[in-house]
Amino acid sequence: RESRPTFKGSKTGSVEVRPNGSLIFEFKSVKSGPLDEGVKAALAQIPEKRYSEDLQHRGIPADRIHAFGIAFSGKDVLVVGA
């Protein structure tokens, strides 16, 4: 039986970058399993939850919105941009 990663929780935030840009960060706290699975889950959640839509409604073009998945477990951290 293959073990699946488990996550303690997640947080999302966005930062507006001037002029006319934004960064979306999705954080996953990994309880067990590899950090890259946490990053994959974080990056998948961004379009699922449509986080960029609010930014686009505020006039930020889609090509100026950059997403990052961040997974951590203790002091170990993995950051991947999409």
Coordinates of all heavy atoms in Angstrom, one line a residue:
R1 N 0.8 -1.2 0.0 CA 0.0 0.0 0.0 C 0.9 1.2 0.0 O 1.8 1.4 0.8 CB -0.9 -0.1 1.2 CG -1.7 1.1 1.4 CD -2.6 1.0 2.6 NE -3.0 2.3 3.1 CZ -4.2 2.5 3.5 NH1 -5.1 1.6 3.6 NH2 -4.6 3.7 3.9
E2 N 0.6 2.1 -0.9 CA 1.4 3.4 -1.0 C 0.9 4.4 0.0 O -0.3 4.6 0.2 CB 1.2 4.0 -2.4 CG 2.0 5.2 -2.7 CD 1.8 5.7 -4.1 OE1 1.5 4.9 -5.0 OE2 2.0 6.9 -4.3
S3 N 1.9 5.0 0.7 CA 1.5 6.0 1.7 C 1.3 7.3 1.0 O 1.9 7.7 0.1 CB 2.5 6.1 2.8 OG 3.7 6.7 2.3
R4 N 0.3 8.0 1.5 CA -0.1 9.3 0.9 C 0.4 10.4 1.9 O 0.3 10.2 3.1 CB -1.6 9.4 0.7 CG -2.1 8.3 -0.2 CD -3.5 8.4 -0.5 NE -3.7 9.3 -1.6 CZ -4.9 9.8 -1.9 NH1 -5.9 9.6 -1.3 NH2 -4.9 10.7 -2.9
P5 N 0.8 11.5 1.3 CA 1.2 12.6 2.2 C 0.0 13.2 3.0 O -1.1 13.1 2.5 CB 1.8 13.7 1.2 CG 1.2 13.4 -0.1 CD 0.9 11.9 -0.1
T6 N 0.3 13.6 4.2 CA -0.8 14.3 4.9 C -0.3 15.7 5.3 O 0.9 16.0 5.4 CB -1.1 13.5 6.3 OG1 0.1 13.4 7.0 CG2 -1.6 12.2 6.0
F7 N -1.3 16.6 5.3 CA -1.0 18.0 5.5 C -1.7 18.5 6.8 O -2.8 18.1 7.1 CB -1.5 18.8 4.3 CG -1.0 18.3 3.0 CD1 -1.9 17.8 2.1 CD2 0.3 18.4 2.7 CE1 -1.4 17.3 0.8 CE2 0.8 17.9 1.4 CZ -0.1 17.4 0.5
K8 N -1.0 19.3 7.5 CA -1.5 19.9 8.7 C -2.5 21.0 8.4 O -3.4 21.3 9.2 CB -0.4 20.4 9.6 CG 0.4 19.3 10.3 CD 1.3 19.9 11.3 CE 2.7 19.4 11.2 NZ 3.6 20.0 12.1
G9 N -2.2 21.8 7.4 CA -3.1 22.9 7.1 C -2.5 23.7 5.9 O -1.5 23.3 5.4
S10 N -3.2 24.7 5.5 CA -2.7 25.6 4.5 C -3.2 27.0 4.7 O -4.1 27.3 5.4 CB -3.2 25.1 3.1 OG -4.6 25.3 2.9
K11 N -2.4 27.9 4.1 CA -2.7 29.3 4.1 C -2.5 29.9 2.7 O -1.6 29.4 2.0 CB -1.8 30.1 5.1 CG -2.0 29.6 6.5 CD -3.3 30.1 7.1 CE -3.4 29.7 8.5 NZ -4.7 29.8 9.1
T12 N -3.2 30.9 2.4 CA -3.1 31.5 1.1 C -2.9 33.0 1.3 O -3.6 33.6 2.1 CB -4.3 31.3 0.2 OG1 -4.5 29.9 0.0 CG2 -4.1 31.9 -1.2
G13 N -2.1 33.6 0.5 CA -1.9 35.1 0.5 C -1.6 35.6 -0.8 O -1.1 34.9 -1.7
S14 N -1.8 36.9 -1.1 CA -1.4 37.5 -2.3 C -0.8 38.8 -2.0 O -1.1 39.5 -1.0 CB -2.6 37.7 -3.3 OG -3.5 38.6 -2.8
V15 N 0.1 39.2 -2.8 CA 0.9 40.5 -2.6 C 0.8 41.2 -4.0 O 1.1 40.7 -5.0 CB 2.3 40.2 -2.3 CG1 3.1 41.5 -2.2 CG2 2.4 39.4 -1.0
E16 N 0.3 42.5 -3.9 CA 0.3 43.3 -5.2 C 1.7 43.8 -5.4 O 2.4 44.3 -4.5 CB -0.7 44.4 -5.1 CG -2.1 44.0 -5.4 CD -3.0 45.1 -5.6 OE1 -2.7 46.0 -6.4 OE2 -4.1 45.1 -5.1
V17 N 2.2 43.7 -6.6 CA 3.5 44.2 -7.0 C 3.2 45.4 -8.0 O 2.5 45.2 -8.9 CB 4.3 43.1 -7.7 CG1 5.7 43.6 -8.1 CG2 4.4 41.9 -6.7
R18 N 3.9 46.5 -7.7 CA 3.7 47.6 -8.6 C 4.7 47.6 -9.7 O 5.8 47.2 -9.5 CB 3.8 48.9 -7.8 CG 2.9 49.0 -6.6 CD 1.6 49.4 -7.0 NE 0.7 49.4 -5.9 CZ -0.6 49.6 -5.9 NH1 -1.2 49.7 -7.0 NH2 -1.3 49.5 -4.8
P19 N 4.4 48.0 -10.9 CA 3.1 48.4 -11.4 C 2.4 47.2 -11.9 O 2.9 46.3 -12.6 CB 3.4 49.4 -12.5 CG 4.7 48.9 -13.1 CD 5.5 48.3 -11.9
N20 N 1.1 47.1 -11.5 CA 0.2 46.1 -12.2 C 0.6 44.7 -12.1 O 0.5 44.0 -13.1 CB -0.1 46.5 -13.6 CG -1.5 47.0 -13.8 OD1 -2.3 47.1 -12.8 ND2 -1.9 47.4 -15.0
G21 N 1.0 44.1 -11.0 CA 1.3 42.7 -10.9 C 1.0 42.2 -9.6 O 0.6 42.9 -8.6
S22 N 1.0 40.9 -9.4 CA 0.6 40.3 -8.1 C 1.3 38.9 -8.0 O 1.5 38.2 -9.0 CB -0.9 40.2 -8.0 OG -1.2 39.7 -6.7
L23 N 1.5 38.5 -6.8 CA 2.1 37.2 -6.5 C 1.1 36.5 -5.6 O 0.5 37.1 -4.7 CB 3.4 37.3 -5.7 CG 4.5 38.2 -6.4 CD1 5.7 38.3 -5.4 CD2 4.9 37.5 -7.6
I24 N 0.8 35.2 -5.9 CA -0.1 34.4 -5.0 C 0.8 33.3 -4.4 O 1.6 32.7 -5.1 CB -1.2 33.7 -5.9 CG1 -2.1 34.8 -6.5 CG2 -2.0 32.8 -5.0 CD1 -3.1 34.2 -7.5
F25 N 0.7 33.2 -3.1 CA 1.4 32.2 -2.3 C 0.4 31.3 -1.7 O -0.5 31.7 -1.0 CB 2.3 32.9 -1.2 CG 3.3 33.8 -1.7 CD1 3.1 35.2 -1.7 CD2 4.5 33.4 -2.2 CE1 4.0 36.1 -2.1 CE2 5.5 34.3 -2.7 CZ 5.2 35.6 -2.6
E26 N 0.6 30.0 -1.9 CA -0.2 28.9 -1.2 C 0.8 28.1 -0.4 O 1.8 27.5 -0.9 CB -0.9 28.1 -2.2 CG -1.7 26.9 -1.6 CD -2.8 27.4 -0.6 OE1 -3.4 28.5 -0.9 OE2 -3.1 26.7 0.3
F27 N 0.6 28.1 0.9 CA 1.5 27.4 1.9 C 0.8 26.1 2.3 O -0.4 26.1 2.6 CB 1.7 28.2 3.1 CG 2.4 29.5 2.8 CD1 1.8 30.6 2.4 CD2 3.8 29.6 3.0 CE1 2.4 31.8 2.2 CE2 4.5 30.8 2.7 CZ 3.8 31.9 2.3
K28 N 1.6 25.0 2.3 CA 1.1 23.7 2.9 C 2.1 23.3 4.0 O 3.3 23.2 3.7 CB 1.1 22.6 1.8 CG 0.0 22.9 0.8 CD -1.3 22.6 1.3 CE -2.4 22.7 0.2 NZ -3.7 22.6 0.7
S29 N 1.6 23.0 5.1 CA 2.4 22.4 6.2 C 2.3 20.9 6.0 O 1.2 20.3 6.1 CB 1.8 22.8 7.5 OG 2.5 22.2 8.6
V30 N 3.4 20.2 5.8 CA 3.4 18.8 5.5 C 3.7 18.0 6.8 O 4.7 18.2 7.5 CB 4.5 18.4 4.4 CG1 4.5 16.9 4.2 CG2 4.2 19.2 3.2
K31 N 2.7 17.2 7.2 CA 2.9 16.4 8.4 C 3.7 15.1 8.1 O 4.6 14.7 8.9 CB 1.5 16.0 8.9 CG 1.5 15.3 10.2 CD 0.1 15.1 10.7 CE 0.1 14.3 12.0 NZ -1.2 14.1 12.5
S32 N 3.4 14.5 7.0 CA 4.2 13.3 6.6 C 4.2 13.3 5.0 O 3.3 13.8 4.4 CB 3.6 12.0 7.1 OG 2.4 11.8 6.5
G33 N 5.3 12.7 4.5 CA 5.4 12.6 3.0 C 6.4 13.6 2.5 O 6.9 14.5 3.2
P34 N 6.7 13.5 1.2 CA 7.7 14.4 0.6 C 7.1 15.8 0.4 O 5.9 16.0 0.2 CB 8.0 13.7 -0.7 CG 6.8 12.9 -1.0 CD 6.2 12.5 0.3
L35 N 8.0 16.8 0.5 CA 7.7 18.2 0.3 C 7.1 18.5 -1.1 O 6.3 19.3 -1.3 CB 8.8 19.1 0.6 CG 9.3 19.2 2.1 CD1 10.5 20.1 2.3 CD2 8.1 19.7 3.0
D36 N 7.7 17.7 -2.1 CA 7.2 18.0 -3.4 C 5.7 17.7 -3.6 O 5.0 18.3 -4.4 CB 8.1 17.3 -4.5 CG 8.1 15.8 -4.4 OD1 7.9 15.3 -3.3 OD2 8.2 15.2 -5.5
E37 N 5.2 16.7 -2.9 CA 3.8 16.4 -2.9 C 3.0 17.6 -2.3 O 1.9 17.9 -2.8 CB 3.5 15.1 -2.2 CG 4.0 13.9 -2.9 CD 3.4 13.7 -4.3 OE1 2.2 13.9 -4.5 OE2 4.1 13.3 -5.2
G38 N 3.5 18.2 -1.3 CA 2.9 19.4 -0.7 C 2.9 20.5 -1.6 O 1.8 21.3 -1.8
V39 N 4.0 20.7 -2.4 CA 4.0 21.8 -3.4 C 3.0 21.5 -4.5 O 2.3 22.4 -4.9 CB 5.4 22.0 -4.0 CG1 5.4 22.8 -5.2 CG2 6.3 22.6 -2.9
K40 N 2.9 20.3 -4.9 CA 1.9 19.9 -6.0 C 0.5 20.3 -5.5 O -0.3 20.8 -6.3 CB 2.1 18.5 -6.4 CG 3.3 18.1 -7.2 CD 3.3 16.6 -7.5 CE 4.6 16.2 -8.1 NZ 4.7 14.7 -8.2
A41 N 0.2 19.9 -4.3 CA -1.1 20.2 -3.8 C -1.4 21.7 -3.7 O -2.5 22.2 -4.0 CB -1.3 19.5 -2.4
A42 N -0.4 22.4 -3.2 CA -0.5 23.9 -3.1 C -0.7 24.5 -4.5 O -1.6 25.3 -4.7 CB 0.8 24.5 -2.5
L43 N 0.0 24.1 -5.5 CA -0.1 24.7 -6.8 C -1.5 24.3 -7.5 O -2.1 25.1 -8.2 CB 1.1 24.3 -7.7 CG 2.4 24.9 -7.4 CD1 3.5 24.3 -8.2 CD2 2.3 26.4 -7.6
A44 N -1.9 23.1 -7.2 CA -3.2 22.6 -7.7 C -4.4 23.4 -7.1 O -5.4 23.7 -7.7 CB -3.4 21.1 -7.4
Q45 N -4.2 23.8 -5.8 CA -5.3 24.5 -5.1 C -5.5 25.9 -5.7 O -6.6 26.4 -5.7 CB -5.0 24.6 -3.6 CG -6.1 25.3 -2.8 CD -5.9 25.2 -1.4 OE1 -5.3 24.2 -0.9 NE2 -6.4 26.2 -0.6
I46 N -4.5 26.6 -6.2 CA -4.6 28.0 -6.7 C -5.6 28.1 -7.8 O -6.6 28.9 -7.6 CB -3.2 28.5 -7.0 CG1 -2.4 28.6 -5.8 CG2 -3.3 29.8 -7.8 CD1 -0.9 28.9 -6.0
P47 N -5.6 27.3 -8.9 CA -6.6 27.4 -9.9 C -8.0 26.8 -9.4 O -9.0 27.3 -9.8 CB -6.1 26.7 -11.1 CG -5.1 25.8 -10.6 CD -4.5 26.4 -9.3
E48 N -7.9 25.8 -8.6 CA -9.2 25.2 -8.1 C -10.0 26.2 -7.3 O -11.2 26.3 -7.4 CB -8.9 24.0 -7.1 CG -8.4 22.8 -7.9 CD -7.9 21.7 -6.9 OE1 -8.1 21.9 -5.7 OE2 -7.4 20.7 -7.4
K49 N -9.4 27.0 -6.5 CA -10.0 28.0 -5.7 C -10.2 29.4 -6.4 O -10.8 30.3 -5.8 CB -9.3 28.3 -4.3 CG -9.2 27.0 -3.5 CD -10.5 26.7 -2.8 CE -10.3 25.5 -1.9 NZ -11.4 25.3 -1.0
R50 N -9.7 29.5 -7.6 CA -9.8 30.7 -8.4 C -9.3 31.9 -7.8 O -9.9 33.0 -7.8 CB -11.2 30.9 -8.9 CG -11.8 29.7 -9.6 CD -13.2 29.9 -9.9 NE -13.7 28.7 -10.6 CZ -14.9 28.6 -11.1 NH1 -15.7 29.6 -11.1 NH2 -15.3 27.5 -11.7
Y51 N -8.1 31.8 -7.1 CA -7.5 32.9 -6.4 C -7.2 34.1 -7.3 O -7.2 35.2 -6.9 CB -6.3 32.5 -5.6 CG -6.5 31.5 -4.5 CD1 -5.7 30.4 -4.3 CD2 -7.6 31.7 -3.6 CE1 -6.0 29.5 -3.3 CE2 -7.8 30.8 -2.6 CZ -7.0 29.7 -2.4 OH -7.2 28.9 -1.4
S52 N -6.8 33.8 -8.5 CA -6.4 34.9 -9.4 C -7.6 35.7 -9.9 O -7.4 36.9 -10.4 CB -5.6 34.4 -10.6 OG -6.4 33.6 -11.4
E53 N -8.8 35.2 -9.8 CA -10.0 35.9 -10.4 C -10.2 37.3 -9.7 O -10.5 38.3 -10.3 CB -11.2 35.1 -10.2 CG -11.3 34.0 -11.3 CD -12.6 33.2 -11.3 OE1 -13.6 33.6 -10.5 OE2 -12.7 32.2 -12.0
D54 N -10.1 37.3 -8.3 CA -10.2 38.6 -7.6 C -9.2 39.6 -8.1 O -9.5 40.8 -8.3 CB -10.1 38.3 -6.1 CG -10.2 39.6 -5.3 OD1 -11.3 40.3 -5.5 OD2 -9.3 40.0 -4.6
L55 N -8.0 39.1 -8.3 CA -6.9 40.0 -8.7 C -7.2 40.6 -10.1 O -7.0 41.7 -10.4 CB -5.6 39.3 -8.7 CG -5.1 38.8 -7.3 CD1 -3.9 37.9 -7.4 CD2 -4.8 40.0 -6.4
Q56 N -7.7 39.7 -11.0 CA -8.1 40.1 -12.4 C -9.2 41.1 -12.3 O -9.2 42.1 -13.1 CB -8.4 38.9 -13.2 CG -7.1 38.1 -13.5 CD -7.5 36.9 -14.4 OE1 -8.2 36.9 -15.3 NE2 -6.9 35.7 -14.0
H57 N -10.2 40.9 -11.4 CA -11.3 41.8 -11.3 C -10.8 43.2 -10.8 O -11.5 44.2 -11.1 CB -12.4 41.3 -10.4 CG -13.2 40.2 -10.9 ND1 -14.3 40.4 -11.7 CD2 -13.0 38.8 -10.9 CE1 -14.8 39.2 -12.0 NE2 -14.0 38.3 -11.6
R58 N -9.7 43.2 -10.2 CA -9.1 44.5 -9.7 C -8.2 45.1 -10.8 O -7.5 46.1 -10.5 CB -8.3 44.3 -8.4 CG -9.3 44.1 -7.3 CD -8.6 44.2 -5.9 NE -7.9 42.9 -5.6 CZ -6.9 42.8 -4.7 NH1 -6.5 43.9 -4.1 NH2 -6.4 41.7 -4.5
G59 N -8.2 44.5 -12.0 CA -7.4 45.1 -13.1 C -6.0 44.6 -13.3 O -5.3 45.1 -14.1
I60 N -5.7 43.5 -12.6 CA -4.3 43.0 -12.8 C -4.4 41.9 -13.9 O -5.2 41.0 -13.8 CB -3.8 42.3 -11.5 CG1 -3.7 43.4 -10.4 CG2 -2.4 41.7 -11.7 CD1 -3.3 42.9 -9.1
P61 N -3.6 42.1 -15.0 CA -3.7 41.2 -16.1 C -3.2 39.8 -15.7 O -2.3 39.6 -14.8 CB -2.7 41.8 -17.1 CG -2.4 43.2 -16.7 CD -2.7 43.2 -15.2
A62 N -3.8 38.8 -16.3 CA -3.5 37.4 -15.9 C -2.0 37.1 -16.1 O -1.4 36.3 -15.3 CB -4.3 36.4 -16.8
D63 N -1.4 37.7 -17.1 CA 0.0 37.4 -17.4 C 1.0 38.1 -16.4 O 2.2 37.9 -16.4 CB 0.4 37.7 -18.8 CG 0.3 39.2 -19.1 OD1 -0.4 40.0 -18.4 OD2 0.9 39.6 -20.1
R64 N 0.4 38.9 -15.5 CA 1.2 39.6 -14.5 C 0.9 39.0 -13.1 O 1.3 39.6 -12.1 CB 0.8 41.1 -14.5 CG 1.1 41.8 -15.8 CD 2.6 42.1 -16.0 NE 3.0 43.0 -15.0 CZ 4.2 43.1 -14.5 NH1 5.2 42.3 -15.0 NH2 4.6 43.9 -13.6
I65 N 0.2 37.9 -13.0 CA -0.1 37.2 -11.8 C 0.8 35.9 -11.7 O 0.7 35.1 -12.6 CB -1.6 36.8 -11.6 CG1 -2.4 38.1 -11.7 CG2 -1.8 36.0 -10.4 CD1 -3.9 37.8 -11.7
H66 N 1.6 35.8 -10.7 CA 2.5 34.7 -10.6 C 2.2 33.9 -9.3 O 2.0 34.5 -8.3 CB 4.0 35.2 -10.6 CG 4.3 36.0 -11.8 ND1 4.6 35.5 -13.0 CD2 4.4 37.4 -11.9 CE1 4.8 36.5 -13.9 NE2 4.7 37.6 -13.3
A67 N 2.2 32.6 -9.5 CA 1.8 31.7 -8.3 C 3.0 30.9 -7.8 O 3.8 30.5 -8.6 CB 0.7 30.8 -8.8
F68 N 3.0 30.7 -6.5 CA 4.1 30.0 -5.9 C 3.4 29.0 -4.9 O 2.6 29.4 -4.1 CB 5.0 30.9 -5.1 CG 5.8 31.8 -6.0 CD1 5.3 33.0 -6.4 CD2 7.0 31.4 -6.5 CE1 6.0 33.9 -7.2 CE2 7.7 32.3 -7.3 CZ 7.2 33.5 -7.7
G69 N 3.9 27.7 -5.0 CA 3.5 26.7 -4.0 C 4.7 26.6 -3.0 O 5.8 26.5 -3.4
I70 N 4.3 26.6 -1.7 CA 5.4 26.5 -0.7 C 5.0 25.4 0.3 O 3.9 25.5 0.9 CB 5.5 27.9 0.1 CG1 5.9 29.0 -0.9 CG2 6.6 27.8 1.2 CD1 5.8 30.4 -0.4
A71 N 5.8 24.4 0.4 CA 5.6 23.4 1.4 C 6.7 23.4 2.4 O 7.8 23.6 2.1 CB 5.5 22.0 0.7
F72 N 6.3 23.1 3.7 CA 7.3 23.1 4.7 C 7.0 22.0 5.8 O 5.8 21.6 5.9 CB 7.4 24.5 5.4 CG 6.1 24.9 6.0 CD1 5.9 24.7 7.4 CD2 5.2 25.6 5.3 CE1 4.7 25.2 7.9 CE2 4.0 26.1 5.9 CZ 3.8 25.9 7.2
S73 N 8.0 21.5 6.4 CA 7.9 20.6 7.5 C 9.1 20.9 8.4 O 10.2 20.7 8.1 CB 8.0 19.1 7.0 OG 8.0 18.2 8.0
G74 N 8.8 21.5 9.5 CA 9.8 21.9 10.4 C 10.6 23.0 9.8 O 10.1 24.0 9.3
K75 N 11.9 22.8 9.7 CA 12.8 23.8 9.0 C 13.0 23.6 7.6 O 13.7 24.3 6.9 CB 14.1 23.9 9.8 CG 14.0 24.4 11.2 CD 15.3 24.6 11.9 CE 15.1 25.2 13.3 NZ 16.4 25.4 13.9
D76 N 12.5 22.5 7.0 CA 12.6 22.1 5.6 C 11.6 22.8 4.8 O 10.4 22.8 5.2 CB 12.5 20.6 5.4 CG 13.7 19.9 6.1 OD1 14.8 20.4 6.1 OD2 13.4 18.8 6.6
V77 N 12.0 23.5 3.7 CA 11.0 24.3 2.9 C 11.3 24.0 1.4 O 12.5 23.9 1.0 CB 11.2 25.8 3.2 CG1 10.2 26.6 2.3 CG2 10.9 26.1 4.7
L78 N 10.3 23.9 0.7 CA 10.4 23.8 -0.8 C 9.5 24.8 -1.4 O 8.3 24.9 -1.1 CB 10.0 22.4 -1.3 CG 10.1 22.1 -2.8 CD1 11.5 22.3 -3.3 CD2 9.6 20.7 -3.1
V79 N 10.0 25.7 -2.3 CA 9.2 26.7 -3.0 C 9.3 26.4 -4.5 O 10.4 26.3 -5.1 CB 9.8 28.1 -2.7 CG1 9.0 29.2 -3.5 CG2 9.8 28.4 -1.2
V80 N 8.2 26.4 -5.2 CA 8.1 26.2 -6.6 C 7.2 27.2 -7.2 O 6.1 27.4 -6.7 CB 7.7 24.8 -7.0 CG1 7.5 24.6 -8.5 CG2 8.6 23.8 -6.5
G81 N 7.6 27.9 -8.3 CA 6.8 28.9 -9.0 C 6.1 28.2 -10.2 O 6.7 27.3 -10.8
A82 N 4.9 28.7 -10.5 CA 4.2 28.2 -11.7 C 4.0 29.3 -12.7 O 3.9 30.5 -12.3 CB 2.9 27.6 -11.2

